[in-house]
Amino acid sequence: MRGFDYLPARDAEEAIAAMPQSPLHHPSERTLPAKFIAGGTNLIDLMKESVMRPRRVVDVGRLPLAGIEAIEGGGMRLGATARNAATAKHPLVLERYPMLAAAILAGASPQIRNMATNGGNLLQRTRCHYFYDVAVPCNKREPGTGCPARDGLARQLAILGTSDHCIATHPSDMCVALAALEAVVHVRSPVGERDIAFADLHRLPGGEPDRDTTLACDELIMHIELPAQDFARHSAYLKLRDRASYAFALVSVAAALDLDEAGRIRTARIAVGGVAHKPWRDPAAESLLAGREATAQAFGEAAQRLLQGARGHGAPGGPGDNRFKIELARRAIVRALEMARDGELTQTGELGAGHVQDIEP
């Protein structure tokens, strides 16, 4: 690991002032001179592998941003430095947004969830093999060097929203649920504060795959807001992966339904993980379900619409071929919507009896 300066910030203003004053368009993430750090569960690994090389890390983990609280109107505010474990176990999160708790508990290990923060979870970088291997080209790590994943080991990688420059996927489970719940991210910078709709936080790769988000490098995430919703009784998080635990999703689905007294759908939300550079939503697919009976046929039509334009990568038939993910995603979307309709929150049982295995915050 390269040497770096460590600054434990005493307040948000000091943390922001320690970052480079930069417009939205900045050099590659790898060459940014400074980075915020809190839990450090991803950034430290990337620094050890020389994938990221900040000369300064600004520790925001001790700032008073760990609150988890209800807000007026029935929503909630999740502090940026609140631990993932504390968020998943919070009584109000379990009552109002059980799908979010299920998604968090589907990710990583109890030890990592006890350390990782909400703000950091949003800023995780891809787990593409080529991105982590500094001996091979990668446009996301080193712009302009190429993307061997497109014809190589693409099994875990994207089928939607790709570009000729990158087919990486966003790794977070929590973000898939936040996308479906239409969360809002509140940030602060030297020029003030702003709210970012969750759909606008993460980017598709386009011609700049080295940039994951629309954040300026001196913008600090303060908290995440969840609007009041009526999805608690009919929501689900389905995660399909190569082994039962501690693996990133091949495909994951956050599904939520608001049903009327007759069981017809008033509103639907569907977000898919493991398939794109960001949690994937298509409001047009969700609108197909409005006013309809909650049947597998209706869910299948929504899945077909959501997956329009999906295409696989990797050598056809080879070990890296990810074309199977298109059908896997279609079936996962239908299954997740059926689970939401039936009140089955998750297929893994993390929120059943005895699910609390993390330490108390």
Side-chain angles (χ1 to χ4, degrees), residues 288-302:
L288 287 177
L289 296 174
R292 300 185 64 178
E293 294 184 8
T295 64
Q297 179 178 343
F299 298 156
E301 292 173 17

Side-chain angles (χ1 to χ4, degrees), residues 77 182-189 192-201 214-215 219-226:
R77 180 180 293 122
E182 296 190 332
V184 174
V185 181
H186 186 80
V187 302
R188 182 184 296 178
S189 76
E193 302 188 4
R194 67 174 178 133
D195 291 328
I196 306 171
F198 206 80
D200 298 328
L201 177 66
T214 56
L215 291 175
E219 284 187 313
L220 176 65
I221 296 175
M222 304 295 285
H223 60 256
I224 303 160
E225 281 196 10
L226 297 168

Side-chain angles (χ1 to χ4, degrees), residues 48-328:
K48 287 178 180 176
E49 300 294 334
S50 197
V51 176
M52 297 185 72
R53 302 170 173 173
R55 294 191 297 274
R56 171 187 291 175
V57 294
V58 180
D59 190 346
V60 297
R62 296 178 178 82
L63 303 187
L65 302 175
I68 301 174
E69 58 190 356
I71 57 177
E72 188 174 353
M76 286 196 69
R77 180 180 293 122
L78 311 176
T81 61
R83 305 292 172 173
N84 285 177
T87 304
K89 292 188 301 181
H90 195 282
L92 278 181
V93 173
L94 291 166
E95 175 189 334
R96 298 180 181 182
Y97 310 98
M99 179 175 66
L100 175 60
I104 294 172
L105 293 174
S109 66
Q111 292 85 355
I112 291 175
R113 294 194 294 266
N114 286 332
M115 192 69 190
T117 62
N118 291 336
N121 197 312
L122 272 52
L123 303 180
Q124 289 185 74
R125 307 213 68 196
T126 184
R127 264 61 177 185
C128 175
H129 306 296
Y130 300 96
F131 176 71
Y132 273 80
D133 186 351
V134 296
V136 301
C138 171
N139 284 328
K140 192 167 187 61
R141 189 185 64 251
E142 292 279 2
T145 59
C147 178
R150 293 178 59 205
D151 298 313
L153 297 174
R155 177 177 170 78
Q156 288 278 350
L157 301 179
I159 56 174
L160 289 162
T162 60
S163 75
D164 290 340
H165 301 276
C166 184
I167 61 170
T169 48
H170 184 71
S172 169
D173 290 289
M174 180 181 183
C175 287
V176 181
L178 290 175
L181 294 169
E182 296 190 332
V184 174
V185 181
H186 186 80
V187 302
R188 182 184 296 178
S189 76
V191 297
E193 302 188 4
R194 67 174 178 133
D195 291 328
I196 306 171
F198 206 80
D200 298 328
L201 177 66
H202 297 102
R203 300 176 65 257
L204 292 179
E208 295 180 299
D210 54 311
R211 294 182 59 220
D212 292 337
T213 72
T214 56
L215 291 175
C217 55
D218 55 356
E219 284 187 313
L220 176 65
I221 296 175
M222 304 295 285
H223 60 256
I224 303 160
E225 281 196 10
L226 297 168
Q229 290 162 342
D230 295 317
F231 295 130
R233 292 182 57 198
H234 295 288
S235 60
Y237 188 72
L238 174 66
K239 181 174 181 177
L240 304 178
R241 44 191 164 182
D242 279 331
R243 58 176 184 264
S245 67
Y246 200 55
F248 295 96
L250 287 169
V251 173
S252 63
V253 184
L257 298 170
D258 178 18
L259 304 178
D260 66 17
E261 295 75 8
R264 300 178 74 87
I265 301 168
R266 293 192 185 98
T267 308
R269 298 275 177 74
I270 313 165
V272 185
V275 297
H277 207 247
K278 59 188 290 184
W280 192 263
R281 275 190 70 198
D282 182 351
E286 296 166 356
S287 67
L288 287 177
L289 296 174
R292 300 185 64 178
E293 294 184 8
T295 64
Q297 179 178 343
F299 298 156
E301 292 173 17
Q304 287 295 125
R305 177 64 181 83
L306 192 145
L307 293 168
Q308 275 188 4
R311 68 186 183 100
H313 299 275
D321 186 352
N322 72 355
R323 289 164 180 79
F324 73 97
K325 292 179 73 171
I326 300 173
E327 177 62 13
L328 184 70

